[in-house]
Amino acid sequence: MIVHYLMRSLLMSVNEGKLQVASVTEAIQAFANARPPGIYKPDYIDALYTFYHERKPEMVICPSTPEWKKSSEFDLNGEAVPDEDDDGGPGVPLQEIPETDVTMTNDDVLGDAIPFDQQEAFRQFCYQALKLQSGPRGNSQFPGSHPVSLSRDNLQLLRQRYYYATWKADGTRYMMLLTVDGCYLIDRNFTFRRVQMRFPCRSTNGSAPEFLHHYTLLDGEMIIDTVPDSQKQERRYLIYDLIAINQISLVERPFSERWKLLEEEVIEPRNLERRNIFKSKNPNYRYDLEPFRVRRKDFYLLSAVKKVLRKFIPQLSHAADGLIFQGWDDPYVPRTHEGLLKWKYPEMNSVDFLFEMGPDERQQLYVNERGKKKLMEAYRVELGEGSDPASYSGKIIECSYDSEKNVWVCMRVRVDKSTPNDINTYRKVIFFSMLCSFATRFP
């Protein structure tokens, strides 16, 4: 516990008489100096190196159990019992830890929960970086920018302004806060969960990075890539915007500048350090043990949209359901951004409903209207074959509209959302679905 505290609250070399910690080895040594002989359980030491993705040096030797801590019939917290094949050495090296073959999904919960007070402080920083005022619910509302559907009313924006396009990945929306003591994924419920990752800052003299990002705020989406040859799954965080860097807000700068800074200040330093570590004979940090990979999302000229749809998206190793159109000179706009446009394939246009079981086991669908839930009368929904409707009650379900059957078809449960779509979103989707159906019947 104390070593974890040192790793997260101090960063190592003795500077002006203050103890600073940069590695697990130094933290373990600092603890041993203050409380000899230090940590004497090899599984604890191995767990610390594993958690912080560091390779344990050969020089690290686990001390023997001190006399005052010899186990007895009355002591259940004595010397750690070794594994059957353990020879009493320093434990299993990190590179020999077996991989678990678990199917990944977009609904997986990533990271560790954090204390309430810490989350409130992080929420306050996000609001300050986005220059938002607290509303009636305080700082509890997710502040990330949301696109609106491309329609006849806003189509002219693509002609009037300078836009770029990117694919709309079918993943999970996360903002991410980078600090020296860890990185924090921020979901649509504005809940923070800690993940152990490393984001070095850009070096001013071209040498290896020396400092880590502290209060840098990103926006992006988590996707699951499937490697074509091996069919192995890999998580990847696609970053598409930079909101704040080391406590400095960037929301008023144009997107083109934020996107460029994202590569220069976040992606390149991380890639540089990873390449240097890879070349090192005795690498300290293990990027390959991090929970997911990171890259900047690409954007393309509008003239390339046809190529993106016909060639690029079919070759992706993860699912995509449409396009996003980003104004090149736009500031970062919190919450609904009328100039940020999304287009989805007709068959993938969907609405997120709140599903509830009413009286007489009647299935009911709700949307949001002016902050209150509105019942969509006389609508039917098809759940998965053999599914128990009661198990969906109280959940947000993403549904597409089947105009031929006049029924909503459940695509998945949105575990990342706690509120249904607004009624205006519903109206746009139903209109577009009917328009597509009409065009199909009368080409």
Side-chain angles (χ1 to χ4, degrees):
M1 181 185 70
I2 293 173
V3 172
H4 272 296
Y5 169 78
L6 293 175
M7 287 295 295
R8 299 190 193 190
S9 62
L10 305 169
L11 278 180
M12 190 163 234
S13 62
V14 177
N15 183 19
E16 298 180 357
K18 298 180 180 178
L19 183 65
Q20 296 181 306
V21 177
S23 70
V24 172
T25 302
E26 292 169 319
I28 290 175
Q29 187 59 52
F31 175 73
N33 293 341
R35 189 177 185 273
I39 299 178
Y40 52 85
K41 296 185 178 181
D43 50 339
Y44 285 11
I45 294 176
D46 290 343
L48 284 166
Y49 280 99
T50 300
F51 184 88
Y52 289 100
H53 311 319
E54 293 188 19
R55 187 183 299 276
K56 184 169 66 175
E58 294 181 359
M59 65 178 184
V60 175
I61 299 175
C62 184
S64 58
T65 304
E67 290 296 326
W68 52 265
K69 196 57 177 178
K70 292 293 186 182
S71 59
S72 68
E73 58 181 337
F74 302 107
D75 184 6
L76 300 180
N77 297 312
E79 190 170 5
V81 179
D83 295 331
E84 291 182 1
D85 59 346
D86 190 5
D87 60 359
V92 180
L94 285 176
Q95 61 269 26
E96 295 181 13
I97 295 176
E99 296 184 3
T100 55
D101 187 15
V102 179
T103 301
M104 300 178 182
T105 72
N106 288 327
D107 297 333
D108 293 339
V109 178
L110 306 177
D112 302 319
I114 66 172
F116 174 80
D117 290 347
Q118 186 183 25
Q119 177 167 275
E120 285 300 301
F122 286 162
R123 285 178 171 179
Q124 184 176 358
F125 168 75
C126 291
Y127 268 58
Q128 291 173 350
L130 290 161
K131 302 189 176 181
L132 284 170
Q133 299 295 326
S134 298
R137 293 186 291 172
N139 298 339
S140 62
Q141 187 178 356
F142 181 73
S145 185
H146 290 294
V148 298
S149 297
L150 184 65
S151 65
R152 183 179 300 175
D153 296 332
N154 56 32
L155 183 62
Q156 76 277 2
L157 292 176
L158 298 180
R159 303 188 186 97
Q160 296 172 353
R161 298 171 51 199
Y162 195 40
Y163 269 88
Y164 269 52
T166 188
W167 72 99
K168 186 178 183 299
D170 186 14
T172 305
R173 168 73 180 279
Y174 287 108
M175 298 172 76
M176 186 157 71
L177 179 63
L178 314 181
T179 75
V180 294
D181 61 287
C183 303
Y184 300 85
L185 290 174
I186 311 168
D187 64 21
R188 288 177 181 267
N189 295 321
F190 211 17
T191 299
F192 292 68
R193 296 185 70 88
R194 186 184 185 280
V195 290
Q196 180 60 37
M197 298 187 72
R198 180 177 175 84
F199 283 85
C201 292
R202 180 166 64 115
S203 175
T204 55
N205 57 10
S207 60
E210 298 178 1
F211 304 100
L212 299 179
H213 277 273
H214 193 46
Y215 282 87
T216 291
L217 185 59
L218 311 172
D219 203 352
E221 54 201 350
M222 190 73 68
I223 55 92
I224 299 174
D225 277 329
T226 301
V227 181
D229 296 334
S230 64
Q231 294 300 301
K232 180 182 178 181
Q233 290 182 305
E234 293 181 349
R235 292 193 198 277
R236 192 184 304 271
Y237 184 58
L238 301 178
I239 312 174
Y240 49 70
D241 217 327
L242 176 61
I243 300 169
I245 183 166
N246 294 319
Q247 305 187 51
I248 300 175
S249 175
L250 304 177
V251 293
E252 295 177 349
R253 299 195 188 187
F255 173 75
S256 56
E257 186 176 338
R258 301 197 307 272
W259 193 63
K260 181 180 179 181
L261 285 172
L262 174 58
E263 182 70 18
E264 295 174 349
E265 301 289 342
V266 179
I267 303 299
E268 287 183 358
R270 181 175 158 90
N271 289 342
L272 174 62
E273 183 181 72
R274 186 164 55 181
R275 286 194 297 268
N276 291 337
I277 288 177
F278 182 76
K279 295 177 183 177
S280 174
K281 293 183 179 179
N282 296 303
N284 177 37
Y285 187 75
R286 299 261 326 254
Y287 272 100
D288 59 303
L289 294 180
E290 289 185 337
F292 51 83
R293 299 191 179 190
V294 174
R295 63 162 290 187
R296 182 182 68 162
K297 197 175 185 184
D298 295 326
F299 285 77
Y300 305 91
L301 293 167
L302 286 186
S303 58
V305 164
K306 185 183 292 186
K307 185 179 292 184
V308 172
L309 285 171
R310 294 183 178 179
K311 294 184 178 181
F312 180 77
I313 289 181
Q315 294 177 356
L316 285 172
S317 51
H318 58 268
D321 55 9
L323 298 171
I324 295 290
F325 298 95
Q326 168 73 57
W328 203 239
D329 296 322
D330 279 358
Y332 188 92
V333 179
R335 304 196 178 114
T336 302
H337 181 7
E338 297 294 341
L340 184 61
L341 310 175
K342 65 178 179 180
W343 173 89
K344 298 178 73 172
Y345 296 108
E347 66 274 14
M348 293 184 178
N349 269 287
S350 61
V351 177
D352 295 331
F353 291 105
L354 170 63
F355 178 84
E356 290 185 355
M357 296 293 292
D360 302 324
E361 297 187 351
R362 187 182 308 161
Q363 299 178 14
Q364 298 176 329
L365 296 176
Y366 293 88
V367 294
N368 190 10
E369 184 179 34
R370 298 178 182 177
K372 298 181 180 180
K373 65 180 188 178
K374 175 180 175 60
L375 175 64
M376 308 307 292
E377 299 281 359
Y379 271 176
R380 295 187 304 116
V381 59
E382 287 186 354
L383 303 173
E385 185 176 352
S387 299
D388 178 13
S391 66
Y392 290 81
S393 186
K395 297 180 180 179
I396 305 298
I397 58 174
E398 182 179 0
C399 301
S400 61
Y401 182 65
D402 187 331
S403 57
E404 293 185 0
K405 296 181 180 180
N406 191 29
V407 65
W408 289 93
V409 181
C410 179
M411 301 165 64
R412 61 168 173 158
V413 176
R414 294 297 301 267
V415 296
D416 59 323
K417 297 188 69 175
S418 57
T419 56
N421 279 149
D422 188 79
I423 191 168
N424 290 322
T425 300
Y426 153 78
R427 287 168 179 161
K428 291 177 181 178
V429 170
I430 195 70
F431 171 79
F432 189 73
S433 298
M434 290 181 174
L435 185 64
C436 291
S437 175
F438 181 83
T440 302
R441 294 178 184 179
F442 305 99

